[in-house]
Amino acid sequence: MGKYFLAIDIGASSGRHILGSLENGKIVLEEVHRFWNGMDDIDGTLCWDVERLFREIIEGMRKCREIGKIPESVGIDTWGVDYVLLDQEDNMIGQAIGYRDHRTDGMDEEVYKIIKEDDLYARTGIQKAIFNTIYQLMAVKKKDPACLEKAAAMLMIPDYFHYKLCGNKVQEYSEATTGQLVNPGTKDWDYELIEMLGFPKDMFLKMHMPGTAIGTLTDEVKNMVGYDCQVVLPPTHDTASAVMAVPSNDKNVCYISSGTWSLMGVEMEEANCSMQSKEANFTNEGGYDGKITYLANIMGLWMIQSVRNKLAPDMSYGELCDQASKEEIASLVNCQDERFLSPDDMVCAIQEYCKETSQQVPETLPELASVIYNSLAKCYAEKLQEIEKITGVKYDRIHIIGGGSNAVYLNELTAKYTGVPVYAGPGEATAIGNVLTQMIQSGEFTDLAQARECVAKSFAIRVYEGR
């Protein structure tokens, strides 16, 4: 019997349990559980039901036992920036509020009263996004300070789930960096910044690097799932896990982790916290082995998901891609415009943008999809030029990983707009990166370079030639 490693990958719209193993020198994945995710509107506040999500985590782990494939270890990755607060008795304080909630409106200005925006970027290297943890915590400080006064620990969402599994409260590096409160040089919390902002310093716990084993299952969890295993930290920020699965060890490679968000960038040894980098809206997030995943956050397939869910929720994305490719509408939108972050109606938001900019207004779902796909590809091309200008490196290929690597029309457009070959796949990049971390920790691979070589021969990669 081979060894199994369980990646629990929870995105903003769904979660899944994927077992990874090595067979004949190749990585084999098996999905054992899938579940829905989304924010709930609780009295006008958008929240994550973390207790329901934890029940799904347990259910999927139990299914591993039922099929007779007990994992050696388990690791959880999720989206970034969101967190829970725990009191002295480890009870959750309030709700786990989601990043699309509007409580952070105006909180950037509150932060900038304490530290200038340029100085904040120079300290953290993190792109401004109004939902970053720094602004969320400022919202709590301003609107519900009693919550911060009671807080003994702040755990990012995947840290909280790992704590629920093994009983150890630790904070993982890659996820922590998304909050805009980490020093990219020391790769630890910027405690001086935290104190300047008036956040309780003691609730920011010791940081650990991906690949760290932090314990085994609690007795309660063992009884629920029917076995024991190690809990190993992957890069718990899903983007950082996905970047691990780029099937190449070449240095001059640009990646797009394509899903609800499109994260486009390159791996670097050191952060670039220059004003040129800030003005181009790039971020220096943490990655495996202390690397920097230097990237731009682009709105991504969230826009496609939103219009499809409203107009034709039963249509497959493959069919939608195919229909969009037949449209001739030339309208484009700025995917980075904040109006597309959390609109009440994405269709109306796109149509209003086109009206304001005197372009043809898309009416049908295929027209809307065509506008979105072309706009995304154009944005990718612009970002590639910016990355090359900032780094001084010419990138001769783009690796598209994640679910969006299956969007054939978008891949074709990306190759067309950027003029460089696009290598699409693997689709399950986040889960693969999670599994790779556990496999390296277990000794299945000696390092990430060897693991990436295995990814390249284990999964189909489709090439789209640039012009």
Side-chain angles (χ1 to χ4, degrees):
M1 293 291 289
K3 293 182 179 179
Y4 296 99
F5 302 89
L6 180 60
I8 303 176
D9 170 30
I10 308 177
S13 57
S14 67
R16 58 267 178 91
H17 291 55
I18 294 181
L19 281 170
S21 58
L22 282 175
E23 293 181 17
N24 300 317
K26 292 186 178 182
I27 300 164
V28 176
L29 303 179
E30 179 182 357
E31 183 179 300
V32 294
H33 185 54
R34 181 177 285 264
F35 53 95
W36 172 86
N37 191 24
M39 297 180 203
D40 298 326
D41 189 326
I42 300 177
D43 299 325
T45 300
L46 295 175
C47 304
W48 302 105
D49 187 346
V50 290
E51 300 313 311
R52 179 187 68 80
L53 290 175
F54 189 68
R55 289 194 296 272
E56 296 284 6
I57 288 169
I58 295 299
E59 177 62 22
M61 292 177 69
R62 189 183 292 123
K63 286 183 178 178
C64 294
R65 184 203 64 209
E66 291 172 359
I67 63 175
K69 296 179 179 179
I70 307 299
E72 299 279 316
S73 60
V74 59
I76 300 170
D77 65 79
T78 75
W79 63 97
V81 307
D82 289 341
Y83 63 90
V84 300
L85 297 177
L86 301 181
D87 64 18
Q88 294 285 356
E89 285 73 46
D90 294 329
N91 297 312
M92 207 167 95
I93 301 170
Q95 301 284 347
I97 301 178
Y99 64 86
R100 292 192 193 276
D101 186 76
H102 287 282
R103 68 175 173 158
T104 54
D105 291 353
M107 290 302 121
D108 48 348
E109 294 307 318
E110 295 298 326
V111 168
Y112 302 150
K113 290 176 184 176
I114 298 166
I115 179 170
K116 293 179 181 177
E117 184 177 356
D118 286 353
D119 294 341
L120 181 60
Y121 188 87
R123 287 185 82 114
T124 66
I126 296 299
Q127 171 192 16
K128 178 191 173 180
I130 194 61
F131 48 69
N132 286 351
T133 315
I134 188 173
Y135 306 116
Q136 293 197 42
L137 289 173
M138 183 56 72
V140 179
K141 179 186 171 186
K142 291 293 180 183
K143 300 175 183 180
D144 197 1
C147 282
L148 281 187
E149 291 167 11
K150 290 187 289 186
M154 182 205 75
L155 293 179
M156 305 301 278
I157 296 290
D159 297 330
Y160 177 66
F161 291 143
H162 284 136
Y163 158 66
K164 295 272 284 182
L165 286 179
C166 71
N168 293 324
K169 295 192 289 290
V170 304
Q171 292 179 300
E172 185 275 325
Y173 164 66
S174 72
E175 183 81 4
T177 63
T178 67
Q180 212 170 355
L181 290 164
V182 171
N183 181 316
T186 64
K187 305 187 191 306
D188 198 359
W189 296 112
D190 186 334
Y191 287 108
E192 183 183 28
L193 173 62
I194 287 165
E195 288 185 311
M196 285 167 57
L197 294 165
F199 303 154
K201 181 179 175 182
D202 291 344
M203 75 180 189
F204 295 86
L205 307 180
K206 180 176 172 59
M207 199 172 297
H208 290 70
M209 283 291 164
T212 305
I214 61 169
T216 55
L217 304 180
T218 66
D219 290 341
E220 181 183 7
V221 172
K222 277 190 286 190
N223 290 334
M224 288 191 287
V225 302
Y227 57 85
D228 195 10
C229 69
Q230 287 269 9
V231 177
V232 173
L233 297 178
T236 59
H237 184 214
D238 50 13
T239 303
S241 269
V243 170
M244 287 184 70
V246 172
S248 172
N249 285 310
D250 293 347
K251 288 188 176 180
N252 295 348
V253 167
C254 179
Y255 59 77
I256 302 173
S257 178
S258 180
T260 300
W261 291 90
S262 288
L263 299 312
M264 183 174 187
V266 295
E267 266 187 319
M268 302 200 307
E269 296 293 330
E270 304 289 339
N272 182 337
C273 302
S274 67
M275 285 305 99
Q276 181 189 21
S277 177
K278 175 184 178 291
E279 287 160 12
N281 228 14
F282 280 86
T283 197
N284 296 268
E285 294 176 351
Y288 183 77
D289 202 22
K291 294 279 199 309
I292 297 295
T293 55
Y294 184 68
L295 55 86
N297 283 281
I298 301 168
M299 201 66 74
L301 297 178
W302 158 249
M303 297 174 71
I304 281 286
Q305 292 163 358
S306 297
V307 297
R308 167 192 168 271
N309 290 346
K310 178 182 180 182
L311 299 178
D314 295 328
M315 181 182 289
S316 73
Y317 288 110
E319 184 180 352
L320 183 53
C321 249
D322 184 57
Q323 289 190 14
S325 70
K326 296 179 173 62
E327 295 296 328
E328 296 183 358
I329 186 169
S331 303
L332 295 168
V333 300
N334 176 10
C335 298
Q336 302 293 74
D337 194 306
E338 285 200 356
R339 74 176 76 195
F340 301 123
L341 175 62
S342 188
D344 293 331
D345 188 319
M346 185 67 77
V347 172
C348 288
I350 293 168
Q351 290 173 332
E352 284 299 318
Y353 185 99
C354 291
K355 285 178 189 173
E356 290 172 16
T357 52
S358 302
Q359 300 183 88
Q360 180 183 342
V361 176
E363 300 293 347
T364 66
L365 178 55
E367 285 180 346
L368 286 157
S370 180
V371 168
I372 293 169
Y373 285 133
N374 276 274
S375 299
L376 278 174
K378 181 174 182 289
C379 188
Y380 296 160
E382 293 167 350
K383 286 298 173 187
L384 179 63
Q385 291 178 353
E386 289 178 347
I387 294 170
E388 291 181 337
K389 184 177 179 182
I390 291 168
T391 63
V393 176
K394 185 74 175 174
Y395 296 96
D396 55 12
R397 71 173 74 173
I398 296 173
H399 278 273
I400 298 184
I401 53 176
S405 67
N406 298 314
V408 172
Y409 182 47
L410 179 56
N411 296 336
E412 292 171 346
L413 290 172
T414 302
K416 172 187 167 186
Y417 278 88
T418 63
V420 299
V422 166
Y423 291 70
E428 295 287 358
T430 304
I432 292 168
N434 187 326
V435 164
L436 293 182
T437 311
Q438 298 179 54
M439 286 182 167
I440 295 169
Q441 195 276 336
S442 179
E444 303 295 293
F445 298 118
T446 56
D447 55 20
L448 179 55
Q450 186 185 43
R452 279 178 165 159
E453 288 175 7
C454 191
V455 173
K457 67 182 181 182
S458 300
F459 302 96
I461 311 297
R462 185 169 175 182
V463 182
Y464 300 82
E465 294 296 340
R467 60 176 180 270

